[in-house]
PDB file of all heavy atoms in Angstrom:
ATOM      1  N   LEU A1448      71.076  91.081 -29.093  1.00 98.00           N
ATOM      2  CA  LEU A1448      70.430  90.095 -29.956  1.00 98.00           C
ATOM      3  C   LEU A1448      69.737  90.832 -31.094  1.00 98.00           C
ATOM      4  O   LEU A1448      68.761  91.537 -30.861  1.00 98.00           O
ATOM      5  CB  LEU A1448      69.382  89.274 -29.181  1.00 98.00           C
ATOM      6  CG  LEU A1448      69.751  88.732 -27.793  1.00 98.00           C
ATOM      7  CD1 LEU A1448      68.537  88.060 -27.159  1.00 98.00           C
ATOM      8  CD2 LEU A1448      70.924  87.771 -27.878  1.00 98.00           C
ATOM      9  N   VAL A1449      70.268  90.715 -32.304  1.00 97.00           N
ATOM     10  CA  VAL A1449      69.566  91.248 -33.467  1.00 97.00           C
ATOM     11  C   VAL A1449      68.616  90.156 -33.934  1.00 97.00           C
ATOM     12  O   VAL A1449      69.060  89.095 -34.385  1.00 97.00           O
ATOM     13  CB  VAL A1449      70.540  91.639 -34.592  1.00 97.00           C
ATOM     14  CG1 VAL A1449      69.758  92.103 -35.817  1.00 97.00           C
ATOM     15  CG2 VAL A1449      71.485  92.741 -34.122  1.00 97.00           C
ATOM     16  N   LEU A1450      67.332  90.401 -33.798  1.00 98.00           N
ATOM     17  CA  LEU A1450      66.342  89.359 -34.083  1.00 98.00           C
ATOM     18  C   LEU A1450      65.834  89.449 -35.516  1.00 98.00           C
ATOM     19  O   LEU A1450      65.522  90.534 -36.016  1.00 98.00           O
ATOM     20  CB  LEU A1450      65.172  89.465 -33.109  1.00 98.00           C
ATOM     21  CG  LEU A1450      65.511  89.303 -31.624  1.00 98.00           C
ATOM     22  CD1 LEU A1450      64.248  89.265 -30.791  1.00 98.00           C
ATOM     23  CD2 LEU A1450      66.346  88.038 -31.380  1.00 98.00           C
ATOM     24  N   CYS A1451      65.747  88.290 -36.157  1.00 98.00           N
ATOM     25  CA  CYS A1451      65.236  88.170 -37.528  1.00 98.00           C
ATOM     26  C   CYS A1451      64.043  87.215 -37.497  1.00 98.00           C
ATOM     27  O   CYS A1451      64.200  86.061 -37.068  1.00 98.00           O
ATOM     28  CB  CYS A1451      66.302  87.620 -38.461  1.00 98.00           C
ATOM     29  SG  CYS A1451      67.824  88.576 -38.517  1.00 98.00           S
ATOM     30  N   PRO A1452      62.862  87.644 -37.934  1.00 97.00           N
ATOM     31  CA  PRO A1452      61.686  86.778 -37.909  1.00 97.00           C
ATOM     32  C   PRO A1452      61.946  85.458 -38.641  1.00 97.00           C
ATOM     33  O   PRO A1452      62.487  85.443 -39.743  1.00 97.00           O
ATOM     34  CB  PRO A1452      60.615  87.603 -38.631  1.00 97.00           C
ATOM     35  CG  PRO A1452      61.034  89.021 -38.424  1.00 97.00           C
ATOM     36  CD  PRO A1452      62.536  88.988 -38.460  1.00 97.00           C
ATOM     37  N   GLY A1453      61.563  84.357 -37.982  1.00 96.00           N
ATOM     38  CA  GLY A1453      61.735  83.046 -38.582  1.00 96.00           C
ATOM     39  C   GLY A1453      63.102  82.433 -38.342  1.00 96.00           C
ATOM     40  O   GLY A1453      63.328  81.272 -38.713  1.00 96.00           O
ATOM     41  N   TYR A1454      64.004  83.168 -37.753  1.00 97.00           N
ATOM     42  CA  TYR A1454      65.343  82.656 -37.470  1.00 97.00           C
ATOM     43  C   TYR A1454      65.559  82.502 -35.966  1.00 97.00           C
ATOM     44  O   TYR A1454      65.566  81.396 -35.443  1.00 97.00           O
ATOM     45  CB  TYR A1454      66.410  83.575 -38.067  1.00 97.00           C
ATOM     46  CG  TYR A1454      66.622  83.410 -39.551  1.00 97.00           C
ATOM     47  CD1 TYR A1454      65.858  84.125 -40.453  1.00 97.00           C
ATOM     48  CD2 TYR A1454      67.599  82.554 -40.050  1.00 97.00           C
ATOM     49  CE1 TYR A1454      66.049  83.986 -41.829  1.00 97.00           C
ATOM     50  CE2 TYR A1454      67.811  82.403 -41.409  1.00 97.00           C
ATOM     51  CZ  TYR A1454      67.032  83.122 -42.300  1.00 97.00           C
ATOM     52  OH  TYR A1454      67.230  82.979 -43.654  1.00 97.00           O
ATOM     53  N   ASN A1455      65.772  83.630 -35.274  1.00 98.00           N
ATOM     54  CA  ASN A1455      66.152  83.554 -33.866  1.00 98.00           C
ATOM     55  C   ASN A1455      65.121  84.163 -32.932  1.00 98.00           C
ATOM     56  O   ASN A1455      65.429  84.551 -31.815  1.00 98.00           O
ATOM     57  CB  ASN A1455      67.519  84.199 -33.635  1.00 98.00           C
ATOM     58  CG  ASN A1455      67.580  85.653 -34.114  1.00 98.00           C
ATOM     59  OD1 ASN A1455      66.739  86.101 -34.875  1.00 98.00           O
ATOM     60  ND2 ASN A1455      68.581  86.377 -33.649  1.00 98.00           N
ATOM     61  N   ASP A1456      63.868  84.262 -33.393  1.00 98.00           N
ATOM     62  CA  ASP A1456      62.789  84.680 -32.493  1.00 98.00           C
ATOM     63  C   ASP A1456      62.073  83.421 -31.996  1.00 98.00           C
ATOM     64  O   ASP A1456      62.590  82.310 -32.125  1.00 98.00           O
ATOM     65  CB  ASP A1456      61.828  85.651 -33.207  1.00 98.00           C
ATOM     66  CG  ASP A1456      61.223  85.066 -34.477  1.00 98.00           C
ATOM     67  OD1 ASP A1456      61.735  84.038 -34.982  1.00 98.00           O
ATOM     68  OD2 ASP A1456      60.231  85.627 -34.981  1.00 98.00           O
ATOM     69  N   GLY A1457      60.902  83.568 -31.406  1.00 97.00           N
ATOM     70  CA  GLY A1457      60.115  82.420 -30.971  1.00 97.00           C
ATOM     71  C   GLY A1457      60.851  81.496 -30.016  1.00 97.00           C
ATOM     72  O   GLY A1457      61.476  81.932 -29.045  1.00 97.00           O
ATOM     73  N   ALA A1458      60.819  80.186 -30.313  1.00 98.00           N
ATOM     74  CA  ALA A1458      61.440  79.190 -29.441  1.00 98.00           C
ATOM     75  C   ALA A1458      62.948  79.387 -29.345  1.00 98.00           C
ATOM     76  O   ALA A1458      63.549  79.142 -28.289  1.00 98.00           O
ATOM     77  CB  ALA A1458      61.123  77.784 -29.957  1.00 98.00           C
ATOM     78  N   GLU A1459      63.581  79.850 -30.427  1.00 98.00           N
ATOM     79  CA  GLU A1459      65.027  80.082 -30.384  1.00 98.00           C
ATOM     80  C   GLU A1459      65.357  81.241 -29.450  1.00 98.00           C
ATOM     81  O   GLU A1459      66.368  81.211 -28.743  1.00 98.00           O
ATOM     82  CB  GLU A1459      65.566  80.372 -31.792  1.00 98.00           C
ATOM     83  CG  GLU A1459      65.557  79.170 -32.721  1.00 98.00           C
ATOM     84  CD  GLU A1459      66.560  78.095 -32.310  1.00 98.00           C
ATOM     85  OE1 GLU A1459      67.408  78.352 -31.428  1.00 98.00           O
ATOM     86  OE2 GLU A1459      66.485  76.984 -32.863  1.00 98.00           O
ATOM     87  N   LEU A1460      64.523  82.260 -29.427  1.00 98.00           N
ATOM     88  CA  LEU A1460      64.732  83.376 -28.503  1.00 98.00           C
ATOM     89  C   LEU A1460      64.591  82.890 -27.064  1.00 98.00           C
ATOM     90  O   LEU A1460      65.367  83.301 -26.183  1.00 98.00           O
ATOM     91  CB  LEU A1460      63.740  84.506 -28.792  1.00 98.00           C
ATOM     92  CG  LEU A1460      63.768  85.698 -27.829  1.00 98.00           C
ATOM     93  CD1 LEU A1460      65.142  86.355 -27.814  1.00 98.00           C
ATOM     94  CD2 LEU A1460      62.700  86.706 -28.208  1.00 98.00           C
ATOM     95  N   GLU A1461      63.631  82.025 -26.822  1.00 98.00           N
ATOM     96  CA  GLU A1461      63.450  81.481 -25.473  1.00 98.00           C
ATOM     97  C   GLU A1461      64.699  80.703 -25.037  1.00 98.00           C
ATOM     98  O   GLU A1461      65.127  80.823 -23.887  1.00 98.00           O
ATOM     99  CB  GLU A1461      62.216  80.604 -25.431  1.00 98.00           C
ATOM    100  CG  GLU A1461      60.906  81.373 -25.630  1.00 98.00           C
ATOM    101  CD  GLU A1461      59.691  80.507 -25.411  1.00 98.00           C
ATOM    102  OE1 GLU A1461      59.867  79.285 -25.206  1.00 98.00           O
ATOM    103  OE2 GLU A1461      58.575  81.048 -25.433  1.00 98.00           O
ATOM    104  N   LYS A1462      65.261  79.914 -25.948  1.00 98.00           N
ATOM    105  CA  LYS A1462      66.492  79.172 -25.604  1.00 98.00           C
ATOM    106  C   LYS A1462      67.631  80.135 -25.285  1.00 98.00           C
ATOM    107  O   LYS A1462      68.351  79.963 -24.291  1.00 98.00           O
ATOM    108  CB  LYS A1462      66.898  78.250 -26.746  1.00 98.00           C
ATOM    109  CG  LYS A1462      68.297  77.650 -26.559  1.00 98.00           C
ATOM    110  CD  LYS A1462      68.747  76.789 -27.692  1.00 98.00           C
ATOM    111  CE  LYS A1462      70.258  76.493 -27.625  1.00 98.00           C
ATOM    112  NZ  LYS A1462      70.764  76.161 -26.276  1.00 98.00           N
ATOM    113  N   THR A1463      67.803  81.143 -26.142  1.00 98.00           N
ATOM    114  CA  THR A1463      68.888  82.102 -25.940  1.00 98.00           C
ATOM    115  C   THR A1463      68.749  82.824 -24.609  1.00 98.00           C
ATOM    116  O   THR A1463      69.723  82.945 -23.845  1.00 98.00           O
ATOM    117  CB  THR A1463      68.915  83.119 -27.091  1.00 98.00           C
ATOM    118  OG1 THR A1463      69.174  82.436 -28.321  1.00 98.00           O
ATOM    119  CG2 THR A1463      69.986  84.176 -26.867  1.00 98.00           C
ATOM    120  N   LEU A1464      67.548  83.308 -24.325  1.00 98.00           N
ATOM    121  CA  LEU A1464      67.336  84.021 -23.064  1.00 98.00           C
ATOM    122  C   LEU A1464      67.493  83.092 -21.870  1.00 98.00           C
ATOM    123  O   LEU A1464      67.993  83.499 -20.813  1.00 98.00           O
ATOM    124  CB  LEU A1464      65.966  84.689 -23.056  1.00 98.00           C
ATOM    125  CG  LEU A1464      65.789  85.842 -24.057  1.00 98.00           C
ATOM    126  CD1 LEU A1464      64.384  86.436 -23.946  1.00 98.00           C
ATOM    127  CD2 LEU A1464      66.839  86.925 -23.845  1.00 98.00           C
ATOM    128  N   GLY A1465      67.087  81.842 -22.023  1.00 98.00           N
ATOM    129  CA  GLY A1465      67.272  80.878 -20.943  1.00 98.00           C
ATOM    130  C   GLY A1465      68.745  80.655 -20.639  1.00 98.00           C
ATOM    131  O   GLY A1465      69.162  80.623 -19.472  1.00 98.00           O
ATOM    132  N   ASP A1466      69.556  80.529 -21.696  1.00 97.00           N
ATOM    133  CA  ASP A1466      70.996  80.323 -21.513  1.00 97.00           C
ATOM    134  C   ASP A1466      71.663  81.550 -20.892  1.00 97.00           C
ATOM    135  O   ASP A1466      72.491  81.434 -19.986  1.00 97.00           O
ATOM    136  CB  ASP A1466      71.660  80.022 -22.863  1.00 97.00           C
ATOM    137  CG  ASP A1466      71.288  78.649 -23.418  1.00 97.00           C
ATOM    138  OD1 ASP A1466      70.899  77.777 -22.617  1.00 97.00           O
ATOM    139  OD2 ASP A1466      71.383  78.463 -24.646  1.00 97.00           O
ATOM    140  N   LEU A1467      71.316  82.721 -21.399  1.00 97.00           N
ATOM    141  CA  LEU A1467      71.995  83.942 -20.957  1.00 97.00           C
ATOM    142  C   LEU A1467      71.563  84.385 -19.564  1.00 97.00           C
ATOM    143  O   LEU A1467      72.389  84.859 -18.774  1.00 97.00           O
ATOM    144  CB  LEU A1467      71.773  85.070 -21.963  1.00 97.00           C
ATOM    145  CG  LEU A1467      72.383  84.861 -23.353  1.00 97.00           C
ATOM    146  CD1 LEU A1467      72.039  86.021 -24.272  1.00 97.00           C
ATOM    147  CD2 LEU A1467      73.899  84.683 -23.265  1.00 97.00           C
TER     148      LEU A1467
END
Side-chain angles (χ1 to χ4, degrees):
L1448 315 175
V1449 176
L1450 300 187
C1451 303
Y1454 281 88
N1455 56 343
D1456 57 345
E1459 290 292 349
L1460 175 59
E1461 293 187 355
K1462 170 183 166 43
T1463 298
L1464 293 181
D1466 290 337
L1467 295 177

